[in-house]
Amino acid sequence: MPEAGVPHVLLASILHEANSFARTPAPLAHFQRQGIFRNAEVAERFGRTRTEMAGFLEAAAEAGWRVTTPIAVPCAPAGPMSSAAFAIFRAALLDGVRGAGPLDGVLLSLHGANVVEDEPDPDGAVASEVRALIGPDVPMVITLDPHSNVSDRLAAAADCLTAYRTHPHTDHKETGLRAAAILRRAMAGEVRPVVHLARGHQMRGFDSCRTSLPEGPMRRALAIAREMERSDPGVVEVSIQSGFVLSDVWRVGPTVAVTGDGRDGRFQAMAERLMRFAWDERENDTVPMIAVADAMRQAHAVPAGPGPIVISDFGDAPGGGGYGDATALLRAVLDDPLPASVFLSIADPAAVRAAMAAGEQAIVRLSLGGHTAPQHGGGPIEAEFKVLRFSDGRFTHEGPYTPGMIGNFGPSVLLSCRGVRIVVTTFQRNIVDLQQPRIFGIEPESCGLIAIKCMDAFRAAFAPIARAVIACESGGVSSRVQTTLTWQHARRPIWPLDAADVVAKAAGYAP
Ligand SMILES: [Zn+2]
């Protein structure tokens, strides 16, 4: 029997960032590799992490809430979620809500940039279904990734939206704690939170929400947001989303959600003011993107010294839905290696099997990588490779990005060619953690060059040990150049698909 007077709160997370340009949907097996956690498993698995779920659980324990935790799906970006996987996650969540009995509050952790094969707005869909089940009076606070393409439906279903405030994201848990604190105030009747959403006329903005540099558009936007909260006690939360641009959906692009105590025009005006800031700063990208050949030239020009040079390929980043098997950067490293060069990683299950069949120390001839879409970031590399060692591909993040989370490359091999050590894996993974090279016996601090596939998240772990960090663009499917993609569903006009003056006129922005 539920204890009288003890609040009952449902906690759940379904996190997926979908690159809608990726050719293959992410099947259920993709999520199973990362783990799908139900009921008691949720506290068991996430209690030791620094995720938003860990924040929910800690706040719930502190407040003495009774919790129901029907499902938690960790984030592993890829192509669109398969319909079959979504049906399972959705049913688990909604059955959890139905079976929970009377609820006093809901904390959901969603990404906001999920797309399912046949549902362009799954986050909005599940949030509105939960809302329909709990009714209008039970408060629901939803945490988001700031690379969220927030839909009107999602904003309408939530009483408050709050996104991480760092990129690389290192404040998942703090975001969970903040959401729980807001829920607590709402359940106590101290505030009646209402989301006021402003949507821009651009596909990207807020410098992709980067906070890795001491100065930049996102840091300035966050400062304005905090000032709005300080100066008006009616502001519950100002949440800034830079959007996730590799998503051909109507709602693609940045949004600002101002949660106010009640509905009021001044909250909407605050949200619009920050979206205007995003427009004015739209060209301000703090990470210059260069071609692979230029990145190699720059790397060779870096003065000698301790620590590796880190080159990241933005164009084939698994964290942005890249296939993880593009070869343009690997080819450039092989053509002109630096001493102690390492490449992480190429996803090529057939190459892994062939290397494992040949055995350690064998020489194998492989057609490595580039099989998924050779036109995006380079086709297979035909060469002889020495097999150095095998690994089961499992690692635990040491952080600062998602410490405690378990990752899985699947069966993997370390090869060498022309003095370059190359990690070849079964599954594609973003490279974000120093444990990822270490499981192959590679000490990242002692490398001369580490070439990786990642957009920005690697900076949290790799920048502190790096002699230099260089970002390049191989032309893969997570490329930053939107105008080369074919767009069908994005609302128009929108920058940069449409000219800035056309968009400004349609938006009513004074020049
Ligand atoms: Zn993100």
Side-chain angles (χ1 to χ4, degrees):
M1 279 295 284
E3 243 178 282
V6 174
H8 183 195
V9 177
L10 183 131
L11 319 175
S13 71
I14 301 175
L15 291 163
H16 187 56
E17 180 185 79
N19 181 332
S20 75
F21 295 95
R23 290 195 312 195
T24 44
L28 184 61
H30 173 83
F31 301 96
Q32 284 168 332
R33 286 201 285 274
Q34 184 86 353
I36 299 163
F37 303 93
R38 308 284 278 264
N39 304 318
E41 292 167 352
V42 174
E44 240 165 70
R45 181 63 203 101
F46 289 87
R48 287 165 286 142
T49 64
R50 289 194 45 79
T51 54
E52 48 274 56
M53 182 57 78
F56 294 168
L57 290 163
E58 188 176 298
E62 209 163 276
W65 295 339
R66 184 163 73 90
V67 297
T68 294
T69 54
I71 185 158
V73 182
C75 195
M81 182 182 276
S82 74
S83 303
F86 180 57
I88 289 167
F89 304 156
R90 174 178 171 270
L93 173 59
L94 299 181
D95 289 347
V97 176
R98 283 188 204 100
L103 286 166
D104 298 291
V106 173
L107 288 170
L108 278 189
S109 143
L110 301 174
H111 188 289
N114 192 6
V115 171
V116 171
E117 283 175 292
D118 56 359
E119 168 56 69
D121 178 26
D123 293 324
V126 292
S128 57
E129 286 170 315
V130 172
R131 171 58 70 199
L133 290 172
I134 61 176
D137 298 327
V138 174
M140 173 161 68
V141 179
I142 299 179
T143 64
L144 296 172
D145 189 293
H147 298 112
S148 171
N149 295 319
V150 178
S151 69
D152 294 347
R153 186 158 59 152
L154 178 61
D159 292 295
C160 175
L161 297 173
T162 181
Y164 320 143
R165 296 172 178 175
T166 58
H167 179 40
H169 312 317
T170 52
D171 64 332
H172 297 93
K173 185 175 177 186
E174 288 77 4
T175 303
L177 289 168
R178 184 168 66 244
I182 294 167
L183 184 77
R184 196 174 179 172
R185 292 176 65 199
M187 291 196 312
E190 291 168 27
V191 287
R192 293 191 58 81
V194 176
V195 177
H196 301 70
L197 186 76
R199 181 183 307 289
H201 305 270
Q202 56 202 90
M203 305 178 85
R204 58 179 163 107
F206 296 115
D207 187 29
S208 301
C209 72
R210 292 186 188 98
T211 56
S212 46
L213 296 175
E215 215 290 308
M218 186 60 174
R219 280 190 182 272
R220 276 182 282 133
L222 288 168
I224 295 169
R226 299 295 80 79
E227 181 52 35
M228 286 171 172
E229 291 164 356
R230 269 194 300 274
S231 60
D232 185 336
V235 177
V236 176
E237 164 71 13
V238 179
S239 182
I240 299 173
Q241 293 75 232
S242 68
F244 179 63
V245 75
L246 294 161
S247 189
D248 187 13
V249 291
W250 183 90
R251 67 187 195 276
V252 63
T255 50
V256 174
V258 173
T259 299
D261 187 5
R263 186 171 297 287
D264 193 289
R266 75 183 195 279
F267 303 130
Q268 188 65 37
M270 289 175 190
E272 301 291 350
R273 186 183 142 206
L274 273 165
M275 276 319 306
R276 180 60 205 252
F277 171 93
W279 175 257
D280 293 337
E281 295 277 347
R282 68 190 177 279
E283 305 268 17
N284 192 351
D285 229 321
T286 57
V287 176
M289 203 56 55
I290 57 174
V292 168
D294 294 326
M296 288 306 295
R297 258 192 298 278
Q298 280 192 13
H300 281 279
V302 174
I309 298 162
V310 177
I311 300 183
S312 71
D313 179 6
F314 198 96
D316 186 38
Y323 304 125
D325 75 340
T327 54
L329 178 57
L330 174 58
R331 197 181 298 273
V333 173
L334 288 172
D335 284 349
D336 196 8
L338 278 85
S341 290
V342 166
F343 191 91
L344 265 84
S345 49
I346 294 282
D348 187 336
V352 169
R353 285 193 297 272
M356 285 190 163
E360 283 182 14
Q361 302 306 313
I363 305 288
V364 280
R365 184 152 192 96
L366 295 172
S367 168
L368 181 67
H371 302 296
T372 312
Q375 73 278 22
H376 286 300
I381 293 175
E382 316 281 342
E384 286 189 336
F385 298 84
K386 184 170 188 189
V387 182
L388 297 182
R389 63 190 280 171
F390 304 145
S391 165
D392 68 2
R394 292 179 184 278
F395 58 91
T396 303
H397 286 234
E398 66 171 22
Y401 188 84
T402 62
M405 289 301 288
I406 289 169
N408 185 5
F409 285 117
S412 302
V413 294
L414 181 66
L415 307 177
S416 80
C417 180
R418 295 178 211 159
V420 178
R421 284 174 291 170
I422 306 159
V423 171
V424 182
T425 65
T426 298
F427 311 128
Q428 76 271 32
R429 293 288 310 191
N430 228 18
I431 302 301
V432 296
D433 199 282
L434 299 180
Q435 283 303 320
Q436 291 172 297
R438 283 193 188 128
I439 62 165
F440 297 95
I442 297 164
E443 277 309 318
E445 291 87 347
S446 64
C447 295
L449 170 76
I450 305 180
I452 60 173
K453 292 174 185 289
C454 186
M455 288 171 154
D456 292 296
F458 72 96
R459 289 172 193 272
F462 284 85
I465 67 157
R467 187 160 25 127
V469 174
I470 303 167
C472 71
E473 167 72 84
S474 68
V477 79
S478 63
S479 163
R480 197 155 72 171
V481 189
Q482 286 88 51
T483 44
T484 59
L485 299 167
T486 305
W487 293 86
Q488 290 178 293
H489 304 294
R491 67 194 180 285
R492 305 297 285 266
I494 193 166
W495 180 84
L497 295 186
D498 300 295
D501 57 335
V502 174
V503 177
K505 197 167 167 221
Y509 291 150

